[in-house]
Structures are given as C-alpha cells and as structure tokens.
C-alpha cells in the first residue's frame, strides 16, 4: 500500500475547505488547519528554529491565504501555495534577523543506494535530520511531512523540473549515512 | 524474475507518485516476488519513521488563534429547520425538468421530491445533520466561490447567499437520498436545483446584477460540463481503447446533455462523473444507431468500464454521506 499518496480529490477537498472557511464556516477552517497546520508549522520551525517565530509565520501564512481567497483570486493548489508563502515569510524573517542564507549543499558524489533505516530510533533520526544541510532538511520535510510531489518540491525550491528527485535521493542517502554514523 | 521494478520505482510507489496503471503493475508483481515485497516493506517502515521523527507537535491554542484572527465573510449561521423546510418547499416548486424528460420520469421525481420534503419535516435533526456531511461542506464552498465572482451589490448579497445555500441544501439532500439508493442517479440527471433560481433572482436583483450573474453562471456551468466530460473521457480513454472519432462524439454528447445544468457549478466532481457514466450507459452506447457505429467488442469494453467506475462512485457516495 502506498503510504503517503495525495490524490487529486484531496487537493480539491483542501481548496473547498478554504472557500467554505472564508465564506464563514469555521468548522471548515478547523478541518483545514487540522490537515495543513502541522506540516506548515513544522516547515517554519525547520527554517526559523524557534517556536514563537514559527507560530507567527504560520499564523501570517493562513491569514494571507484567507485574504487571497476573500479577494476572489483563485488558488489551484492550496497546500503548495501555503508552503510557498510560509517559506518566503520565514526566509524574510530570518534575513532580518541574521545574514544567514540558504546554502546549496556541498555537491556530494552520487551516493550509492543504501539500505533503508529500519531500526534507528526517533531521537537519532531527529538529530540526523537537524544536522543535514538546510536544503536537504526542507526537501525531506516537503516530501515526507507535507507530502508534496517532486514537481511541486522543484517549484518551491527553485529547481529545474525533474531534479527534485535527485535532491530527495541525496537527502535520504545523507540521512542514512548520518544515522548509521 | 526478469521484470523486477527498479528501486526508484518502488520508492515512487511508496510515496504514491505512480499512475494507477504503473501502481497496478507493481501490485501484480508483489505477491509473486518476496524480494520486492520485502523491499517495499522496509522502505515503508523507513518512510513512516522519518515522518514520525519530523512531525512537530503544534503549540497549544495556535489553531484557535489562527481561526480567531482571520476575518471571514459574514458569519453564516445555519438556517433554522423551519426556514430550511420553507425554502426547500419553495425551491421544490421551481425545480425545473429537462424538457426531454418523459412524463413518467417527471411524475416519479415529483413523488420522490414530495416525499423528500415530508421526510425533512419529520426528521427533526436534518438541519443539524446535513451541514456535517462532506456534501454540505463541498456545496457551501461552491456557494462561497459563486459569491466571490458574482458581483452582487451588498444590499442583495444576503438574499443571494440564502437562495444559493437553500438550493445547494436541496441538491445535497437529493444527493444524500441518491447515496442511500432512494433516488436513481439516472433520474437525478434531469433535475437542476439552480435552474429554478432564475425566477426568484429576476424579481430581486438589479437588471445589471441579474444579467452579469446569469451570464457568468451559464458560462461556468458550460465550462464545468465540458471539464467533467473531458476528464471522464480521458479516464475512459486511458482504460479502454476507443477510436478518437468515437471519443469526440461521446464527449460532445456528454457536453450537450449536461451543459444546460446550472448546478454543475456546485455538484462535487465525482457526481458529475457519475452523471457522465450513467448518461453514456443510457444514451449513446446502447442506442441502436450507436451500436452500428461501435464495434461490438469496443462497446462491451466500454460497458465493462462503466460498470467498474459506477461501482467506485457508489462507494464514494456512501463514504461522502457517512458522518
């Protein structure tokens, strides 16, 4: 069984929930937040590494989403749209804070396909993820938590279409390597 | 075995990136191949662990703060039961039938809808029950969307919203009954709840509001019908080989039979597809002249496909109406 498939109907459902929320139905807003907020908040936290800032950024993201819809502009993929806005907000915020920039990971030689991690525990994995270059961290988050498609990840990360798979492959291999030591 | 899927394919399978056909090929392969089944299992475990490790708990109260901080359009309180019953009864009077519908069909539908409103009067909790169904959420979303482009002045917006909500509530009710097998989908094909709004709107709206609203509604209905027909035929074409001539004819048949519906703009996608399936089954495919045109093996395959998808839509109906 595919573990994290996101069917077209799900995309439609998210879009419908936003429209209904903006039309005044708070239950729809609640439903949408229960689907999207964990991934968006996590994404902000991965970039800002501070829960108060991540909270502000996620709140601002959803406020912009509703504003956009209220003004009658159509959004065809709510999940991708919110992820993009959240990332931009977080990078802006961080730029004001420090001069840290989103570095490209060092180009590693094409890594050998490694054995999947079946035994690592949660803390080991978290530490592994945290020690990865930012692009790897974000790509893993977008793929595993936000369940975006490679094409969508490429658009978010400003990559040529088709190269997101390579990024994901590298990120996963690097994580396996870190965790195995 | 020489035809193992590559590691990359298996990874794509786990993350749901494959098309239905490609995924089906892997699923056919798995039962006979312990190596690949094992590989899938290990990768799924890994993926599950990573998701767990990367998931962050949301701070308490964040969702609530967001909900409170976001201004929405006027908060719509759900219409009280009496109002729902009255509005629906008014609407039922103006629901129009496609003029080709036979008298028998019209009579049956009238009876069904009459019993629908009787059922509604009896069922005390229907007003609180309906908004919880996914149908209702979907319909309400569509109403929000229609209002976003309708260009209706503030003074009339409330009335338009109520009328649209009432119409969509009636549609949701009919859909709900269809989901429970009480109305046949093919009969639903001749009902359009939004069509009836025209009379009411002509009396309420400014001339310019009225014209713009219905121009847009008609354009959107047509677009929705074309979109649904095209999508349905794409799916059909991906599963059954049919000639491109036949495909074009079926598409325009579907558009012609559905473009008049104004409620295409509020019906959920799969309902539009279900309508396409049942129209094809009733009309084109089975008519004697169509039979002459289509090779019999082709028609057989199309019918088998329709059986399959209709089964799937029925499952969706029941899932959608489960609360």
């Amino acid at each position: 069984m595919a573990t994290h498939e996101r069917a077209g109907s799900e995309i439609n459902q998210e879009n419908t929930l936003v429209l209904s929320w903006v039309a005044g139905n708070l239950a729809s807003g609640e439903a949408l937040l229960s689907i999207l907020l964990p991934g968006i908040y996590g994404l902000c936290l991965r970039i800002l590494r501070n829960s108060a800032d991540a909270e502000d950024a996620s709140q601002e993201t959803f406020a912009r989403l509703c504003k956009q819809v209220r003004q009658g502009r159509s959004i065809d993929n709510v999940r991708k749209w919110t992820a993009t806005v959240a990332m931009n907000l977080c990078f802006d915020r961080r730029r004001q804070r420090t001069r840290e920039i989103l570095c490209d990971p060092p180009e590693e030689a094409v890594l050998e396909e490694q054995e999947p991690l079946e035994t690592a525990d949660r803390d080991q994995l978290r530490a592994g993820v945290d020690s990865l270059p930012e692009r790897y961290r974000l790509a893993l988050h977008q793929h595993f938590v936000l369940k975006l498609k490679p094409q969508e990840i490429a658009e978010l990360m400003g990559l040529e279409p088709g190269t997101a798979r390579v990024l994901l492959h590298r990120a996963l291999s690097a994580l396996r390597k870190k965790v195995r030591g | 075995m020489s035809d193992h899927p590559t590691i990359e394919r298996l990874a794509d399978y786990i993350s749901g990136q494959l098309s239905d056909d490609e995924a089906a090929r892997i699923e056919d392969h798995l039962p006979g191949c312990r190596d690949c089944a094992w590989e899938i299992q290990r990768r799924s475990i890994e993926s599950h662990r990573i998701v767990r490790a990367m998931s962050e708990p949301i701070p308490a109260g964040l969702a609530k703060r967001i909900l409170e901080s976001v201004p929405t359009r006027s908060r719509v309180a759900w219409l009280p039961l009496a109002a729902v019953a009255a509005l629906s009864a008014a609407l039922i009077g103006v629901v129009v039938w496609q003029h080709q519908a036979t008298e028998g069909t019209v009579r049956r539908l009238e009876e069904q809808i009459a019993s629908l409103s009787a059922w509604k009067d009896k069922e005390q909790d229907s007003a609180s029950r309906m908004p919880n169904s996914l149908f209702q959420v979907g319909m309400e979303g569509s109403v929000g969307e229609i209002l976003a482009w309708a260009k209706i002045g503030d003074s009339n917006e409330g009335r338009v919203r109520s009328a649209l909500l009432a119409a969509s509530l009636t549609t949701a009710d009919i859909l709900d009954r269809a989901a429970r097998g009480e109305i046949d989908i093919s009969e639903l094909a001749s009902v359009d709840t939004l069509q009836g709004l025209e009379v009411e709107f002509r009396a309420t709206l400014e001339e310019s509001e009225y014209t713009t609203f219905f121009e847009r509604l008609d354009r959107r209905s047509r677009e929705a019908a074309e979109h649904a027909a095209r999508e349905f035929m794409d799916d059909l074409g991906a599963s059954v080989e049919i000639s491109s001539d036949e495909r074009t004819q079926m598409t325009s048949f579907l558009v012609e039979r559905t473009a008049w519906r104004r409620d295409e703009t509020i019906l959920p996608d799969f309902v539009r597809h279900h309508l396409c399936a049942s129209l094809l089954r009733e009309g084109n495919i089975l008519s004697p002249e169509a039979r002459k045109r289509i090779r019999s093996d082709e028609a057989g395959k199309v019918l088998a496909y329709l059986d399959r998808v209709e089964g799937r839509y029925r499952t969706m109906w029941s899932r959608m109406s489960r609360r």
Side-chain angles (χ1 to χ4, degrees), chain B residues 16-18 61 72 77 90 92 115 120 124 148 178 185 190 196 211 229 240 247 250 265 275:
Chain B
Q17 310 288 351
L18 296 183
T72 55
I92 286 160
S115 67
K120 201 171 216 166
Q124 285 306 305
I185 181 75
S190 56
T211 317
V240 185
R247 189 163 162 171
M250 287 189 199
T265 51
L275 281 175

Side-chain angles (χ1 to χ4, degrees), chain B residues 185 274 277-279 281 305-315 317:
Chain B
I185 181 75
H274 200 163
S278 86
L279 284 171
R281 177 184 293 286
Y305 173 82
L306 294 178
D307 279 343
R308 214 161 54 237
V309 296
E310 286 188 302
R312 205 163 67 211
Y313 295 137
R314 268 191 291 276
T315 317
W317 284 104

Side-chain angles (χ1 to χ4, degrees), chain A residues 1-6 9 12-13 16-17 19-26 28-30 33 37-38 41-42 45-46 51 54-56 58-59 62-63 66-67 69-72 113-122 125-126 129 137-138 140-141 143-145 147-150 165 172 175-176, chain B residues 7-8 11-18 20 27 30 38-76 78 131 134 136-145 147-149 161 269 316:
Chain A
M1 259 287 125
T3 53
H4 51 92
E5 194 167 345
R6 186 164 60 102
S9 57
N12 286 341
Q13 193 198 347
T16 303
L17 287 173
L19 289 167
S20 172
W21 180 12
V22 170
N25 185 342
L26 288 186
S28 303
E30 237 171 281
L33 289 176
L37 184 57
Y41 171 75
L45 196 60
R46 291 214 180 278
S51 64
E55 271 190 55
D56 285 353
S58 359
Q59 189 164 341
F62 285 97
C66 290
K67 190 170 169 206
V69 174
R70 214 171 41 246
Q71 290 171 344
E113 183 63 43
Q114 292 173 2
E115 293 288 294
L117 301 162
E118 290 161 75
T119 53
D121 68 22
R122 190 159 184 252
L125 272 170
R126 284 178 81 96
V129 170
R137 278 202 320 269
L138 295 183
L140 289 176
H141 186 93
H143 176 70
F144 284 107
V145 185
K147 309 196 188 323
L148 295 174
K149 296 181 193 324
R165 277 172 202 282
L172 203 49
L175 177 63
R176 288 174 184 147
Chain B
I7 293 279
E8 200 188 18
D12 284 349
Y13 172 73
I14 293 168
S15 55
Q17 310 288 351
L18 296 183
D20 285 355
E27 277 155 17
L30 289 180
W38 176 231
E39 193 59 32
I40 291 261
Q41 197 182 342
R42 294 161 72 209
R43 281 170 187 272
S44 301
I45 293 173
E46 176 184 67
S47 143
H48 182 70
R49 280 175 191 279
I50 296 177
V51 172
R52 267 207 0 213
M54 294 190 81
S55 301
E56 303 291 343
I58 311 172
L62 176 58
K64 192 161 172 272
R65 280 199 295 286
I66 294 176
L67 285 170
E68 283 166 359
S69 70
V70 167
T72 55
R73 278 181 108 93
S74 55
R75 300 256 188 273
V76 186
W78 275 98
L134 273 173
Q136 191 55 43
V137 172
M139 301 275 155
E140 207 190 325
S142 311
V143 168
E145 196 182 355
L147 281 168
W149 52 252
R161 176 188 290 278
D269 281 353
M316 290 173 80

Side-chain angles (χ1 to χ4, degrees), chain A:
Chain A
M1 259 287 125
T3 53
H4 51 92
E5 194 167 345
R6 186 164 60 102
S9 57
E10 260 178 273
I11 298 184
N12 286 341
Q13 193 198 347
E14 287 161 15
N15 291 10
T16 303
L17 287 173
V18 180
L19 289 167
S20 172
W21 180 12
V22 170
N25 185 342
L26 288 186
S28 303
E30 237 171 281
L32 183 78
L33 289 176
S34 73
I35 300 171
L36 289 186
L37 184 57
I40 295 298
Y41 171 75
L43 183 67
C44 297
L45 196 60
R46 291 214 180 278
I47 300 173
L48 296 168
R49 295 183 178 239
N50 167 322
S51 64
D53 287 351
E55 271 190 55
D56 285 353
S58 359
Q59 189 164 341
E60 176 68 23
T61 302
F62 285 97
R64 289 197 185 186
L65 172 69
C66 290
K67 190 170 169 206
Q68 185 86 358
V69 174
R70 214 171 41 246
Q71 290 171 344
R73 294 190 204 128
S74 73
I75 293 174
D76 51 42
N77 182 341
V78 169
R79 187 175 291 232
K80 196 182 95 190
W81 193 94
T82 43
T84 311
V85 169
M87 274 177 68
N88 290 340
L89 283 171
C90 290
F91 288 134
D92 284 350
R93 200 172 273 253
R94 196 173 63 185
R95 224 169 283 132
Q96 288 161 6
R97 214 170 58 188
T98 66
R99 300 196 54 200
E100 197 182 345
I101 46 158
L102 182 61
C103 295
D104 273 338
E107 285 298 311
E108 296 177 36
V110 173
L111 291 153
E112 300 270 312
E113 183 63 43
Q114 292 173 2
E115 293 288 294
L117 301 162
E118 290 161 75
T119 53
D121 68 22
R122 190 159 184 252
D123 292 340
Q124 265 179 304
L125 272 170
R126 284 178 81 96
V129 170
D130 284 343
S131 66
L132 292 175
E134 181 161 58
R135 279 172 82 82
Y136 286 179
R137 278 202 320 269
L138 295 183
L140 289 176
H141 186 93
Q142 288 158 0
H143 176 70
F144 284 107
V145 185
L146 280 164
K147 309 196 188 323
L148 295 174
K149 296 181 193 324
Q151 172 67 36
E152 295 168 331
I153 296 177
E155 286 167 34
L156 241 65
M157 304 288 278
L159 298 169
E160 291 293 314
T163 50
R165 277 172 202 282
V166 178
L167 179 66
L168 278 170
H169 178 74
R170 287 197 176 137
L172 203 49
S173 300
L175 177 63
R176 288 174 184 147
K177 209 165 147 191
K178 293 262 186 215
V179 172
R180 290 222 170 80

Side-chain angles (χ1 to χ4, degrees), chain B residues 61 80 114 245:
Chain B
D245 268 6

Side-chain angles (χ1 to χ4, degrees), chain B residues 129-262:
Chain B
R129 195 173 61 89
M130 285 310 296
N132 293 331
S133 78
L134 273 173
F135 279 144
Q136 191 55 43
V137 172
M139 301 275 155
E140 207 190 325
S142 311
V143 168
E145 196 182 355
I146 293 176
L147 281 168
W149 52 252
K151 295 246 185 299
I152 303 281
D154 286 348
S155 57
N156 283 325
E157 195 189 299
R159 250 174 295 181
V160 172
R161 176 188 290 278
S162 309
L164 283 172
L165 280 174
S168 69
L169 202 64
T170 306
T171 306
D173 247 352
I174 295 173
L175 295 181
D176 195 47
R177 295 212 101 187
R180 287 180 282 136
E182 295 169 27
I183 299 177
D184 191 78
I185 181 75
S186 59
E187 298 194 351
L188 186 65
S190 56
V191 187
D192 173 8
T193 43
L194 279 194
Q195 195 85 18
L197 289 176
E198 189 160 359
V199 184
E200 189 175 327
F201 282 11
R202 198 193 286 273
T204 325
L205 299 180
E206 301 286 327
E207 182 67 30
S208 65
E209 284 177 333
Y210 169 82
T211 317
T212 321
F213 181 75
F214 277 97
E215 262 173 27
R216 292 193 182 190
L217 189 59
D218 285 341
R219 202 172 60 226
R220 299 282 283 230
S221 310
R222 186 164 187 95
E223 280 167 9
E226 283 169 356
H227 183 72
R230 234 182 1 253
E231 260 187 0
F232 184 81
M233 289 309 297
D234 282 350
D235 288 349
L236 195 155
S239 296
V240 185
E241 250 181 63
I242 42 170
S243 64
S244 66
D245 268 6
E246 196 51 45
R247 189 163 162 171
T248 315
Q249 282 185 11
M250 287 189 199
T251 312
S252 51
F253 166 81
L254 288 175
V255 173
E256 183 197 317
R257 290 294 299 274
T258 54
W260 62 279
R261 306 185 69 94
R262 287 177 171 156

